[in-house]
Amino acid sequence: MMAASLMRMVLTVALLFGAAVSPALATDREALLTQPGVYGTFAAFQMDHDWWDLTGEARVIAVSEVKGLIEQFSQKIVIESYLLRGLSDHADLMFRVHAQALSDTQQFLTSLLGTRLGRHLVATSYLHGLTKPAVYAPGFSEPMKHALQSSTPEAGTKSYAIVIPIRKDAEWWALDQDTRTTLMQEHTQAALPYITTVKRKLYHSSGLDDFDFITYFETDKLDDFHGLIRALEQVKEYRHDRRFWHPTLLGTIRPLDDILELFAR
Amino acid sequence: MMAASLMRMVLTVALLFGAAVSPALATDREALLTQPGVYGTFAAFQMDHDWWDLTGEARVIAVSEVKGLIEQFSQKIVIESYLLRGLSDHADLMFRVHAQALSDTQQFLTSLLGTRLGRHLVATSYLHGLTKPAVYAPGFSEPMKHALQSSTPEAGTKSYAIVIPIRKDAEWWALDQDTRTTLMQEHTQAALPYITTVKRKLYHSSGLDDFDFITYFETDKLDDFHGLIRALEQVKEYRHDRRFWHPTLLGTIRPLDDILELFAR
Amino acid sequence: MMAASLMRMVLTVALLFGAAVSPALATDREALLTQPGVYGTFAAFQMDHDWWDLTGEARVIAVSEVKGLIEQFSQKIVIESYLLRGLSDHADLMFRVHAQALSDTQQFLTSLLGTRLGRHLVATSYLHGLTKPAVYAPGFSEPMKHALQSSTPEAGTKSYAIVIPIRKDAEWWALDQDTRTTLMQEHTQAALPYITTVKRKLYHSSGLDDFDFITYFETDKLDDFHGLIRALEQVKEYRHDRRFWHPTLLGTIRPLDDILELFAR
Amino acid sequence: MMAASLMRMVLTVALLFGAAVSPALATDREALLTQPGVYGTFAAFQMDHDWWDLTGEARVIAVSEVKGLIEQFSQKIVIESYLLRGLSDHADLMFRVHAQALSDTQQFLTSLLGTRLGRHLVATSYLHGLTKPAVYAPGFSEPMKHALQSSTPEAGTKSYAIVIPIRKDAEWWALDQDTRTTLMQEHTQAALPYITTVKRKLYHSSGLDDFDFITYFETDKLDDFHGLIRALEQVKEYRHDRRFWHPTLLGTIRPLDDILELFAR
Amino acid sequence: MMAASLMRMVLTVALLFGAAVSPALATDREALLTQPGVYGTFAAFQMDHDWWDLTGEARVIAVSEVKGLIEQFSQKIVIESYLLRGLSDHADLMFRVHAQALSDTQQFLTSLLGTRLGRHLVATSYLHGLTKPAVYAPGFSEPMKHALQSSTPEAGTKSYAIVIPIRKDAEWWALDQDTRTTLMQEHTQAALPYITTVKRKLYHSSGLDDFDFITYFETDKLDDFHGLIRALEQVKEYRHDRRFWHPTLLGTIRPLDDILELFAR
């Protein structure tokens, strides 16, 4: 009965958003995660205190509803989950969603918030960005290009993820492209020693939220990540960062089942 | 009985505000949406958590009451609805209201907040602005005027809406009109490539809320919108923007029925 | 019985504050509203959500208790009421209180918060200021003095009220009196065209709250008010304003009965 | 029985803090209030809304428990009470505590928060400072020293108290002692006319809270106090004040019984 | 039975985090507290008001569950406890956790928040930093090195702890290493007189939270600590501190049993 009601809800949502959830069409997960022109959303939530007043059984049912929902949506969008609880002070969990359209992401998050569990989630930070081809790299010097090509990040899953949104000051945008390329080459030079152990991904935000960029990091070595940030603070481009750091979201990369398990117990 | 009690409430409100709701007089919707001298209000709300403790039936009744209310007020003011839930972190829905007088808008919002559903709405952001004839365009160069006239926005409904309030710094207002016209011509030049796919509307706020302007955008192509904002960041006028971006309200344009449906289920 | 208990409460408060509420002594309302040396308090409140859980009857009784209280205090202080709901996002109603002493205002607000209704009020902003004789006008040029004298504000009640608190920067206070007079004459010149339709009143706050001034406006023509603020942004004195605008409180001037009626239904 | 349980609680607290509350040892109240090397804490609280759901009898018992507690602690620390309700927007009452050690103050406030009433108190602002001998006065000119000595504040209890925390900018601290003395002499000169009617006391905070100083004022004449602040805004030293004013705490000086009476009714 | 359920929970957590809690392996407590490359977390919590609605017995059971949990984790990480209640306005208690990996700290805090008591804890501030070898000391002059070596902090437990997070401005990081060493030598010179009575420990944060550093102090003499901060405000390096002070966390160092006792009563 629960499964039926879940399915009914998903179908209603699908109708409401004018989008057919087609289980037959497999998502090109790899493309969404690597290509430009994809929308990335970081959605951090806090669990409200009333959640814990539910019976254990009610929590288990609620968690199972969310799992079903995410499975449905995984046909179309890529959903990754993070445990922020215990590391970030105003958030318990975070989803990173990659989608061809933000309306797909909205459809997912709205459905999530409409579940029994979702009604206990408080949305603390939504950040949206767009992936783009590298803006400055084509203008870098040959040695720098070579250095970048010959650096391979370690393969495999990382433990930690960090999200830092950034706004540039007006002076930055007033610089000409060449000057910015020079500054970004210095920035990239400083980052080189950390390429192997710290994965980075950049999202362009201007207009989509209060920021210009979302910088996303994954690493097993938090001390290397810290070293990278210190190195980046010492280059001239850093002077153009405003509101750099806040909100810094720090968490661990976790399968959804693990995270939900914490809230089902 | 519910209809009767709704009607009683609307009439009471009408008496209280000294304004007769006259169903015979059709609103000039087109004029409110296009002419100068009209007040535009952006009212974003969050649904509180208690809402979900109501029975499904009680929610359906509450939603129906709101629909009736909005129909009544549509004789006099233009009310458009947006779903922010899943895209903006502290708001679930937004109304854009166009009215000849802010007291009409207040009458509507006060009535809304007095409904069964309204008692669960938390007002997160109210922004007010006035439409005016173009301030700088008359001083633009002939080629620029021609470019503006020959650019036609695409017809039809858009998917996404974005609201960004802006304050100018004191230096901006201290510039003489000619200098500001020159800066705004550069601004408009940068925006030209996006005229077809991104609709813009400007509201003048100074004194009505904490801002100087509300900039409102509609688009089907969020990447074009993002491109537009990036282009505008690179012109000199941008240096005079303060508190640009916050709060950025991002949502999808939706019929009210669709939005309320989400909260009735 | 309720009336008796109300009276008992008022008397208790009177004893507590060491002030006899003497119904025989009529307040010099006109003097409080026009003379220097009077304290003006702007107290904005939000109604909490629990209020609506009371029965209709309980709300009617609570509202009636407040009316009685205000009538009592009107012997001594001038209390005006404003409906902010539907126009300001974090406040529902506001009182402007004029009193010879802030302890009288405190006695009233404390009594108000102690009523059945008051227990549901959340105080969102208290601003306090002192009326003073015009500081700069005596130094204005003769033509300016003449212009001021020959401008008569329209008589009668206005619809809208706006409260904007202001802090001046340290540079402003470091200017000598003559320079400030010159700047204020330019300010006043810019405001002249709006004297007829926008009433202004200035309160001096330094030390009494976080601001230096409270500027209060009444008008029937919000577009004129907006025009006034725009004009004031373009004079040199504006460069010395800090935190100008926040919180901007916008509402309509209403008899208390009308406002309470909204919360009794 | 209640008295017994109260006594048990106080004794438990005493054991917990490793401090014997010795009723035999009378506090040197005068010394605590006038000597250097004493810690002053300003603790402002808001009463939560649930408080009013208690029965009148329960409130009376809770209030009486607090009175007993304060009497106990008055052997060791000096506790003064202020009514902020009706004058400050986010606080209802405030204690000023003078103690030889902040651990004594903590013991008192922790005990207070553990009472039936204390469980309904929300701590909105704690400010801590240390009294010290006058820093700049020894370097003042002879006439200024003489002026200070010959000015006597009015005796007797005042009606109003105002607390304004201050941070100095880095430039202030980078000035040499002589320059700062000169600036403070100008500051003191500006304050001279108000010495009789406005009592001031300075606490040094750096490191103990987010501020550098807490300035505390008592007066019967709020307009004189306002005049004093205006005068201080016009001296050069004012340019080095950051975050001056916030939070401004304004209240009336009241016996604890009067304040608690308001919350017992 | 409770012990059994506690053990089951700890084991579940251990499985979830892929980490075996091995009681046989004693933690090298001394190493964690003194060596570089260790992660320090400052986690401040507020107890929500619902906690006090539990029966006394329920609170005693909940407290005992926390004690058991902390004992378990003490095999692996060092957990120290502080009472902030009565001294800091938005926090009641704080843990300082030293761990080889932040994932261990997360495991502990997540388990803590999952206890009966933890469900009533609101996380108000999490600060994370990394210990490192002294950065500037190797470049100090010989007399300064000698002065540092010959100063021994007093042994024994201190009463008070203070946490102040710091961000440096971009100009600081743009200085070359020699210039920064010179500035830090001046900073250290100013701190020398306080070495005996005020213990300091530095954590490097950049990237791990919104700050660059966490400075942690322990002392029995708060006036010496205040003197130290005042001395540090007067050196040139202070001009590069941004957001210095906020949030200042001030508390007393207490055994966990003492702190929990306050919340069990």
Side-chain angles (χ1 to χ4, degrees):
Chain A
M1 197 174 85
M2 207 209 74
S5 104
L6 172 64
M7 184 56 67
R8 193 169 61 240
M9 185 201 64
V10 171
L11 290 177
T12 315
V13 168
L15 286 168
L16 172 61
F17 281 75
V21 173
S22 152
L25 181 76
T27 306
D28 193 349
R29 181 183 167 86
E30 196 54 26
L32 280 170
L33 288 177
T34 57
Q35 293 186 356
V38 172
Y39 292 89
T41 293
F42 295 82
F45 298 97
Q46 208 165 7
M47 188 65 81
D48 73 16
H49 277 209
D50 293 349
W51 169 257
W52 302 105
D53 295 340
L54 299 183
T55 65
E57 193 189 9
R59 290 207 300 271
V60 168
I61 291 174
V63 158
S64 142
E65 184 188 8
V66 168
K67 288 184 192 172
L69 182 75
I70 285 178
E71 207 181 310
Q72 286 284 343
F73 274 92
S74 295
Q75 309 279 339
K76 200 174 177 182
I77 60 180
V78 176
I79 304 168
E80 289 162 299
S81 54
Y82 304 82
L83 182 66
L84 304 191
R85 193 169 168 92
L87 290 181
S88 296
D89 45 24
H90 289 100
D92 287 318
L93 69 162
M94 179 174 73
F95 292 104
R96 178 170 67 152
V97 180
H98 286 89
Q100 291 295 351
L102 273 187
S103 54
D104 290 341
T105 303
Q106 183 180 37
Q107 185 180 353
F108 162 61
L109 291 173
T110 307
S111 301
L112 173 69
L113 291 170
T115 63
R116 287 170 189 79
L117 184 145
R119 289 168 192 184
H120 294 276
L121 291 178
V122 179
T124 52
S125 289
Y126 284 1
L127 302 170
H128 307 287
L130 183 63
T131 59
K132 290 188 183 180
V135 174
Y136 302 106
F140 284 176
S141 69
E142 286 313 309
M144 174 58 81
K145 284 179 182 170
H146 184 256
L148 283 173
Q149 279 151 17
S150 57
S151 307
T152 13
E154 281 171 7
T157 316
K158 304 295 176 193
S159 313
Y160 298 99
I162 304 99
V163 180
I164 304 178
I166 292 177
R167 279 203 62 201
K168 293 292 190 187
D169 64 11
E171 282 65 37
W172 172 258
W173 297 113
L175 297 173
D176 61 48
Q177 177 77 8
D178 280 0
T179 308
R180 275 188 274 140
T181 299
T182 305
L183 290 171
M184 285 313 292
Q185 177 158 332
E186 187 200 6
H187 169 107
T188 308
Q189 181 71 48
L192 265 185
Y194 303 95
I195 277 191
T196 322
T197 54
V198 184
K199 282 172 66 177
R200 305 170 68 185
K201 184 158 179 159
L202 185 70
Y203 301 81
H204 296 254
S205 292
S206 307
L208 302 176
D209 59 25
D210 291 0
F211 300 94
D212 283 324
F213 297 100
I214 307 166
T215 61
Y216 171 80
F217 306 86
E218 286 184 8
T219 190
D220 279 331
K221 303 198 168 177
L222 272 181
D223 50 347
D224 272 16
F225 164 70
H226 166 73
L228 166 62
I229 297 296
R230 273 287 163 86
L232 296 180
E233 291 184 318
Q234 299 186 26
V235 299
K236 284 187 282 298
E237 169 261 349
Y238 176 63
R239 301 184 187 202
H240 298 287
D241 281 357
R242 297 197 318 186
R243 289 183 57 183
F244 188 30
W245 308 120
H246 187 74
T248 300
L249 298 169
L250 168 65
T252 46
I253 304 171
R254 293 294 178 79
L256 183 67
D257 282 6
D258 282 14
I259 294 173
L260 291 179
E261 171 70 12
L262 270 177
F263 295 100
R265 260 181 293 140
Chain B
M1 196 174 87
M2 206 209 75
S5 103
L6 172 64
M7 183 56 67
R8 194 170 60 241
M9 185 201 63
V10 172
L11 289 178
T12 316
V13 168
L15 286 169
L16 172 61
F17 281 75
V21 173
S22 152
L25 182 76
T27 305
D28 192 350
R29 182 182 167 88
E30 195 55 26
L32 281 170
L33 288 178
T34 57
Q35 293 186 356
V38 172
Y39 291 90
T41 292
F42 295 82
F45 297 97
Q46 208 165 8
M47 187 65 81
D48 73 16
H49 277 209
D50 293 349
W51 169 256
W52 302 105
D53 296 340
L54 299 184
T55 65
E57 193 188 9
R59 291 208 298 272
V60 168
I61 291 174
V63 159
S64 143
E65 184 188 8
V66 169
K67 287 184 193 173
L69 182 74
I70 284 178
E71 207 181 309
Q72 286 284 343
F73 274 91
S74 294
Q75 309 278 340
K76 201 173 176 182
I77 60 181
V78 176
I79 304 169
E80 289 162 300
S81 55
Y82 304 82
L83 183 66
L84 304 191
R85 194 168 167 92
L87 290 181
S88 295
D89 47 23
H90 289 100
D92 286 319
L93 70 162
M94 179 174 73
F95 292 104
R96 178 171 65 151
V97 180
H98 285 89
Q100 292 294 350
L102 273 187
S103 55
D104 290 340
T105 303
Q106 184 181 38
Q107 185 180 353
F108 163 61
L109 290 173
T110 306
S111 301
L112 173 70
L113 291 169
T115 63
R116 289 169 187 78
L117 185 146
R119 288 168 192 183
H120 294 277
L121 291 178
V122 180
T124 52
S125 289
Y126 284 0
L127 302 170
H128 306 287
L130 184 63
T131 58
K132 289 188 182 179
V135 174
Y136 301 104
F140 285 177
S141 69
E142 286 313 309
M144 174 58 81
K145 284 180 183 170
H146 183 256
L148 284 173
Q149 279 152 17
S150 57
S151 307
T152 14
E154 282 170 7
T157 317
K158 304 295 176 194
S159 312
Y160 298 99
I162 304 99
V163 181
I164 304 178
I166 293 178
R167 279 203 62 201
K168 294 292 190 185
D169 64 10
E171 282 65 37
W172 172 258
W173 297 113
L175 297 173
D176 60 48
Q177 177 78 7
D178 280 359
T179 307
R180 276 189 273 141
T181 299
T182 305
L183 289 170
M184 286 313 291
Q185 176 159 331
E186 187 200 6
H187 170 106
T188 308
Q189 180 72 47
L192 265 185
Y194 303 95
I195 278 191
T196 323
T197 54
V198 184
K199 282 172 65 176
R200 305 170 67 184
K201 183 158 181 161
L202 184 70
Y203 301 81
H204 296 254
S205 291
S206 307
L208 302 177
D209 59 26
D210 290 1
F211 300 95
D212 282 326
F213 298 100
I214 308 166
T215 61
Y216 171 80
F217 305 85
E218 288 185 6
T219 189
D220 279 330
K221 303 198 168 177
L222 273 180
D223 50 347
D224 271 17
F225 164 69
H226 166 73
L228 166 62
I229 297 296
R230 273 287 163 86
L232 295 180
E233 291 184 319
Q234 299 186 27
V235 298
K236 285 188 282 297
E237 170 261 348
Y238 177 62
R239 301 185 186 201
H240 297 287
D241 281 357
R242 298 197 317 188
R243 289 183 58 183
F244 188 30
W245 309 120
H246 188 74
T248 301
L249 298 169
L250 168 65
T252 45
I253 305 171
R254 294 293 178 81
L256 183 68
D257 281 6
D258 282 13
I259 294 174
L260 291 179
E261 171 70 12
L262 270 176
F263 294 100
R265 260 180 293 140
Chain C
M1 195 175 87
M2 207 209 77
S5 104
L6 172 64
M7 184 56 66
R8 194 170 59 242
M9 184 201 64
V10 171
L11 291 177
T12 315
V13 169
L15 286 169
L16 172 60
F17 281 74
V21 173
S22 151
L25 182 75
T27 306
D28 193 349
R29 181 182 168 86
E30 195 54 26
L32 280 169
L33 288 178
T34 56
Q35 293 187 355
V38 171
Y39 292 89
T41 292
F42 295 82
F45 298 96
Q46 207 166 9
M47 187 66 80
D48 73 16
H49 277 209
D50 293 349
W51 168 257
W52 303 105
D53 296 340
L54 299 183
T55 64
E57 193 189 10
R59 291 207 299 271
V60 168
I61 292 174
V63 158
S64 143
E65 185 188 8
V66 168
K67 288 184 194 175
L69 182 73
I70 284 179
E71 206 180 310
Q72 287 283 343
F73 274 90
S74 294
Q75 309 278 340
K76 200 174 176 183
I77 60 181
V78 176
I79 304 169
E80 289 162 300
S81 54
Y82 304 82
L83 181 66
L84 304 191
R85 193 168 168 91
L87 290 180
S88 295
D89 47 22
H90 289 100
D92 286 318
L93 69 163
M94 179 173 73
F95 292 103
R96 180 170 64 152
V97 180
H98 285 89
Q100 292 294 351
L102 273 186
S103 55
D104 290 340
T105 304
Q106 183 180 38
Q107 186 180 353
F108 163 60
L109 290 173
T110 306
S111 301
L112 173 69
L113 291 169
T115 63
R116 289 170 187 77
L117 185 147
R119 288 167 193 184
H120 293 277
L121 291 178
V122 180
T124 52
S125 289
Y126 284 180
L127 302 170
H128 305 287
L130 184 62
T131 58
K132 289 188 183 180
V135 176
Y136 301 106
F140 286 177
S141 70
E142 286 312 309
M144 173 59 81
K145 284 180 183 171
H146 183 255
L148 284 173
Q149 279 151 17
S150 56
S151 307
T152 15
E154 282 170 7
T157 316
K158 304 295 176 192
S159 312
Y160 298 98
I162 304 99
V163 180
I164 303 178
I166 293 177
R167 280 203 61 202
K168 293 293 190 186
D169 64 11
E171 282 66 35
W172 172 259
W173 297 112
L175 297 173
D176 60 47
Q177 177 78 5
D178 280 358
T179 308
R180 275 188 273 140
T181 299
T182 306
L183 289 170
M184 286 311 292
Q185 177 159 330
E186 187 200 6
H187 170 106
T188 308
Q189 180 73 47
L192 264 186
Y194 303 96
I195 278 191
T196 323
T197 54
V198 184
K199 283 172 65 178
R200 305 169 67 184
K201 184 159 179 161
L202 184 71
Y203 302 81
H204 296 254
S205 291
S206 306
L208 302 177
D209 59 26
D210 291 0
F211 299 95
D212 282 326
F213 297 100
I214 308 166
T215 61
Y216 172 79
F217 305 86
E218 288 185 7
T219 189
D220 280 330
K221 304 198 169 179
L222 274 180
D223 50 347
D224 272 17
F225 164 69
H226 165 72
L228 166 63
I229 298 296
R230 273 287 162 85
L232 296 180
E233 292 184 319
Q234 298 186 26
V235 300
K236 285 188 282 296
E237 170 262 348
Y238 176 63
R239 301 185 186 200
H240 298 288
D241 281 357
R242 298 195 320 186
R243 287 182 59 183
F244 188 30
W245 309 118
H246 187 74
T248 301
L249 298 169
L250 168 64
T252 45
I253 305 172
R254 294 292 178 80
L256 182 68
D257 282 6
D258 281 14
I259 294 174
L260 291 179
E261 170 70 12
L262 269 177
F263 295 100
R265 260 180 294 140
Chain D
M1 196 173 88
M2 209 207 74
S5 105
L6 172 65
M7 183 56 66
R8 193 169 61 241
M9 185 199 65
V10 172
L11 290 177
T12 315
V13 169
L15 286 168
L16 172 59
F17 281 75
V21 173
S22 152
L25 183 74
T27 306
D28 193 349
R29 182 182 168 89
E30 195 54 26
L32 281 170
L33 288 178
T34 57
Q35 293 187 358
V38 172
Y39 292 89
T41 292
F42 295 82
F45 298 96
Q46 207 165 9
M47 187 65 80
D48 73 16
H49 278 210
D50 293 348
W51 168 256
W52 302 105
D53 296 340
L54 300 184
T55 64
E57 192 189 11
R59 291 207 298 272
V60 167
I61 291 174
V63 159
S64 142
E65 185 188 7
V66 169
K67 288 184 193 174
L69 181 74
I70 285 178
E71 206 181 310
Q72 286 283 343
F73 274 91
S74 295
Q75 310 278 340
K76 200 174 178 181
I77 61 181
V78 176
I79 305 169
E80 289 160 300
S81 54
Y82 304 83
L83 182 66
L84 304 191
R85 193 167 168 93
L87 289 180
S88 295
D89 46 23
H90 289 100
D92 287 318
L93 69 163
M94 180 172 74
F95 292 104
R96 179 169 67 152
V97 180
H98 285 89
Q100 292 295 350
L102 272 187
S103 55
D104 290 340
T105 304
Q106 182 179 40
Q107 186 180 353
F108 162 60
L109 290 174
T110 306
S111 301
L112 173 69
L113 291 170
T115 62
R116 288 170 188 79
L117 185 145
R119 288 167 193 184
H120 293 276
L121 291 178
V122 180
T124 52
S125 290
Y126 284 0
L127 302 170
H128 306 287
L130 184 62
T131 59
K132 290 188 182 179
V135 175
Y136 302 106
F140 285 176
S141 68
E142 286 312 310
M144 173 60 81
K145 284 180 183 171
H146 183 257
L148 283 173
Q149 278 152 16
S150 57
S151 309
T152 13
E154 281 170 7
T157 316
K158 305 294 177 192
S159 312
Y160 298 99
I162 303 101
V163 181
I164 303 178
I166 294 178
R167 281 203 59 202
K168 293 292 191 188
D169 64 12
E171 283 65 36
W172 172 259
W173 297 113
L175 297 173
D176 60 47
Q177 177 79 5
D178 280 358
T179 308
R180 275 189 274 141
T181 299
T182 305
L183 290 171
M184 285 312 292
Q185 177 158 333
E186 187 200 5
H187 168 107
T188 307
Q189 180 73 47
L192 265 186
Y194 304 96
I195 278 192
T196 322
T197 54
V198 184
K199 283 173 63 177
R200 304 170 67 185
K201 184 159 179 160
L202 184 70
Y203 301 81
H204 296 254
S205 291
S206 307
L208 303 176
D209 58 27
D210 291 0
F211 299 95
D212 282 326
F213 297 100
I214 308 167
T215 61
Y216 172 80
F217 305 86
E218 286 185 8
T219 190
D220 279 330
K221 303 198 170 178
L222 273 181
D223 50 347
D224 271 16
F225 164 69
H226 166 72
L228 166 62
I229 297 295
R230 272 287 163 85
L232 295 180
E233 291 184 318
Q234 298 186 26
V235 299
K236 285 188 282 296
E237 169 262 348
Y238 177 63
R239 301 185 187 200
H240 298 288
D241 282 357
R242 297 196 318 187
R243 288 182 59 181
F244 186 32
W245 309 117
H246 188 74
T248 301
L249 298 169
L250 168 65
T252 45
I253 305 171
R254 295 290 178 82
L256 183 67
D257 281 7
D258 281 13
I259 294 174
L260 291 178
E261 170 70 12
L262 269 177
F263 295 101
R265 260 179 294 139
Chain E
M1 196 173 87
M2 209 209 71
S5 105
L6 173 64
M7 184 54 67
R8 193 168 63 239
M9 185 200 63
V10 172
L11 290 178
T12 315
V13 169
L15 287 169
L16 172 60
F17 282 74
V21 174
S22 152
L25 183 74
T27 306
D28 193 349
R29 181 182 168 88
E30 196 54 26
L32 280 169
L33 287 178
T34 57
Q35 292 186 357
V38 172
Y39 292 90
T41 292
F42 295 83
F45 298 97
Q46 207 165 9
M47 187 65 80
D48 73 16
H49 278 209
D50 293 349
W51 168 256
W52 302 105
D53 295 339
L54 299 183
T55 64
E57 192 189 9
R59 291 207 300 271
V60 168
I61 291 174
V63 158
S64 143
E65 184 188 8
V66 169
K67 288 184 192 173
L69 181 75
I70 284 178
E71 206 181 310
Q72 286 284 342
F73 274 91
S74 295
Q75 309 278 340
K76 202 174 178 180
I77 60 181
V78 176
I79 304 169
E80 288 161 301
S81 54
Y82 303 83
L83 182 67
L84 304 190
R85 193 168 169 91
L87 290 180
S88 296
D89 45 24
H90 289 99
D92 286 319
L93 69 163
M94 180 174 74
F95 292 104
R96 179 170 66 152
V97 181
H98 285 90
Q100 292 294 350
L102 273 187
S103 55
D104 290 341
T105 304
Q106 183 180 38
Q107 186 180 352
F108 163 60
L109 290 173
T110 306
S111 302
L112 173 68
L113 291 170
T115 62
R116 287 170 189 78
L117 184 145
R119 288 167 193 185
H120 293 276
L121 291 178
V122 180
T124 52
S125 289
Y126 285 0
L127 302 170
H128 306 287
L130 184 61
T131 59
K132 290 188 182 180
V135 175
Y136 301 106
F140 284 176
S141 69
E142 286 313 310
M144 175 59 81
K145 283 180 183 168
H146 184 256
L148 282 173
Q149 278 151 18
S150 56
S151 308
T152 13
E154 280 171 8
T157 317
K158 303 295 175 192
S159 313
Y160 298 99
I162 304 99
V163 181
I164 304 178
I166 293 178
R167 281 202 60 201
K168 293 291 190 188
D169 64 12
E171 283 63 37
W172 173 259
W173 297 113
L175 297 173
D176 61 46
Q177 177 77 6
D178 279 1
T179 308
R180 274 187 276 140
T181 299
T182 305
L183 290 170
M184 286 312 292
Q185 177 158 332
E186 187 200 6
H187 168 107
T188 307
Q189 181 71 49
L192 264 186
Y194 303 95
I195 277 191
T196 322
T197 54
V198 184
K199 283 174 64 177
R200 303 169 68 185
K201 184 158 180 160
L202 184 71
Y203 301 81
H204 296 253
S205 292
S206 306
L208 303 176
D209 59 26
D210 291 0
F211 300 95
D212 282 325
F213 298 99
I214 308 165
T215 61
Y216 171 81
F217 305 85
E218 287 184 8
T219 189
D220 279 330
K221 303 198 169 177
L222 273 181
D223 51 347
D224 271 16
F225 163 69
H226 166 73
L228 167 61
I229 298 295
R230 273 287 163 86
L232 296 180
E233 291 184 319
Q234 299 186 26
V235 300
K236 285 187 282 297
E237 170 261 349
Y238 177 62
R239 302 185 186 200
H240 298 287
D241 282 357
R242 296 196 321 185
R243 288 183 58 182
F244 187 32
W245 308 118
H246 187 74
T248 301
L249 298 169
L250 168 65
T252 45
I253 305 172
R254 295 290 179 81
L256 184 67
D257 282 6
D258 281 13
I259 294 174
L260 291 179
E261 170 70 15
L262 268 178
F263 295 100
R265 261 179 294 139

